[in-house]
Amino acid sequence: MKCDKYMGMDVHQAMTVVVVLDADGKVILETMVPTEAAAIIRLVQSLSGPLRVTFEESTPAAWLYEVIRAYVTEVIVCDPRRNKLLEEGSKADKVDARKLAELLRAGLLRSVYHGHEATRNLKELVRAYETLSIDTQRTMARIKAIYRARGIQTPGRGVYQPKQRERWFVGSSVENISSRINRSSRPSRGWLP
């Protein structure tokens, strides 16, 4: 379309570099705005006509998608690994934003799916549950390793129960551990005190 504008955004934690091209590929705006919803919305609303926006998938991508999607014609969150043009030449922020706008204008960007908010919330909950499960398993293995390093056998899951944990701590001094090992049926180990 002749009146369409194409905005490439290079998003960072504090500031976002923005380049806007017209339908002919001419730069009509180069600026930096704070990476804040109000500032970005003001910028988008200041541009007339249909506006198509792109930025790369990153930590704030889902947030930014939600912030601007109601104010623009199209939002494409693209995969940075698939943008070969960005690998060539300078890696300056303005250059990246311009290249993104040029790729958008040429229709060469592949979108990363950013669906409905409910779906994203569910994905975040699943990701958090998975992370907590992995961390819990890792912590349990560390607890058992600490006891094993002191020669204390900890069969079952009782060692994880706060009420039962006290019995594992009682008498676990180095002398006690050494005498336990010496009394056991295992051969003596020379490296123990």
Side-chain angles (χ1 to χ4, degrees):
M1 308 273 177
K2 243 352 191 173
C3 60
D4 282 4
K5 292 179 180 66
Y6 302 90
M7 178 185 286
M9 302 175 80
D10 192 18
V11 183
H12 297 277
Q13 183 177 355
M15 297 296 287
T16 297
V17 178
V18 178
V19 174
V20 180
L21 304 177
D22 65 11
D24 297 323
K26 182 179 148 199
V27 175
I28 56 174
L29 176 68
E30 277 188 11
T31 188
M32 289 179 67
V33 295
T35 306
E36 299 169 357
I40 293 170
I41 290 170
R42 271 194 309 274
L43 173 67
V44 167
Q45 289 178 329
S46 73
L47 299 166
S48 62
L51 179 61
R52 301 180 191 290
V53 178
T54 189
F55 48 89
E56 292 181 323
E57 177 66 46
S58 61
T59 302
W63 165 81
L64 184 55
Y65 177 85
E66 285 300 318
V67 166
I68 65 171
R69 74 182 178 118
Y71 299 95
V72 300
T73 305
E74 178 184 26
V75 180
I76 293 182
V77 182
C78 60
D79 185 349
R81 294 176 300 246
R82 295 194 180 263
N83 299 331
K84 297 297 182 196
L85 183 60
L86 292 180
E87 293 175 4
E88 299 171 5
S90 173
K91 283 297 293 169
D93 295 337
K94 279 187 181 178
V95 173
D96 282 353
R98 181 177 179 144
K99 286 180 182 179
L100 282 170
E102 289 171 352
L103 289 170
L104 177 63
R105 187 175 143 291
L108 298 175
L109 291 176
R110 184 177 281 173
S111 180
V112 174
Y113 178 72
H114 275 265
H116 299 290
E117 190 173 350
T119 306
R120 278 197 307 278
N121 289 342
L122 179 61
K123 282 183 178 181
E124 285 179 23
L125 287 172
V126 169
R127 196 174 305 123
Y129 176 79
E130 182 180 35
T131 301
L132 287 172
S133 295
I134 291 169
D135 288 348
T136 300
Q137 290 171 350
R138 189 176 295 133
T139 301
M140 291 169 73
R142 285 182 184 151
I143 289 170
K144 287 258 186 166
I146 289 169
Y147 286 112
R148 278 195 315 270
R150 287 165 177 75
I152 302 170
Q153 295 298 315
T154 55
R157 301 176 65 85
V159 71
Y160 308 122
Q161 309 294 326
K163 290 179 182 177
Q164 295 184 23
R165 197 173 296 147
E166 281 302 315
R167 78 175 197 171
W168 301 107
F169 287 132
V170 173
S172 64
S173 67
V174 174
E175 292 79 25
N176 252 343
I177 293 171
S178 179
S179 64
R180 277 189 196 174
I181 291 172
N182 288 335
R183 284 185 302 210
S184 72
S185 60
R186 290 188 226 158
S188 175
R189 299 180 194 226
W191 50 270
L192 289 174

